[in-house]
Amino acid sequence: MLNRGAVVVRYREAFRDWLRSIGVEEEEFLDHGDKSIYLVGECDDPEDQEEVLRESSSTIFYEEVSAWHLDSEQYPDFNDFALFTAWFATEFFDMVSDALDEPLTKTD
């Protein structure tokens, strides 16, 4: 078991609307899929999940935006958690296990 939680992030219509507004074709983001999984801080208490998510929301927000390989000048300013929750639906998992015997590695 890992000392992490996991958050599944799914696009809401507001994020898709923003993609359309900057010229991303609908078929592109439909082909891309609409969910990602992020490892976040461990959280055993469901009441603390929002705090854990808030701590990672800026990182997740910019990861999702930059996944579209856009000019960084097109990136919206991330100014509050309300924008994150308007653009992304989330589902939190408090137990993450590694089913492989290989060490975890991080790539950029």
Side-chain angles (χ1 to χ4, degrees), residues 15-33:
F15 183 68
R16 291 185 196 103
D17 288 344
W18 177 75
L19 289 173
R20 288 182 198 100
S21 77
I22 59 167
V24 176
E25 298 292 326
E26 188 145 355
E27 61 199 36
E28 287 182 70
F29 58 80
L30 292 176
D31 288 343
H32 180 272

Side-chain angles (χ1 to χ4, degrees), residues 23-55:
V24 176
E25 298 292 326
E26 188 145 355
E27 61 199 36
E28 287 182 70
F29 58 80
L30 292 176
D31 288 343
H32 180 272
D34 71 344
K35 63 183 172 249
S36 302
I37 299 174
Y38 293 90
L39 296 178
V40 295
E42 191 173 25
C43 179
D44 295 330
D45 187 352
E47 295 171 0
D48 295 333
Q49 290 176 358
E50 183 177 320
E51 181 180 336
V52 168
L53 186 57
R54 281 179 182 273
E55 292 171 359

Side-chain angles (χ1 to χ4, degrees), residues 5 28 34 48 66 71 82-83 108:
E28 287 182 70
D34 71 344
D48 295 333
S66 68
D71 181 346
L83 179 61
D108 292 328

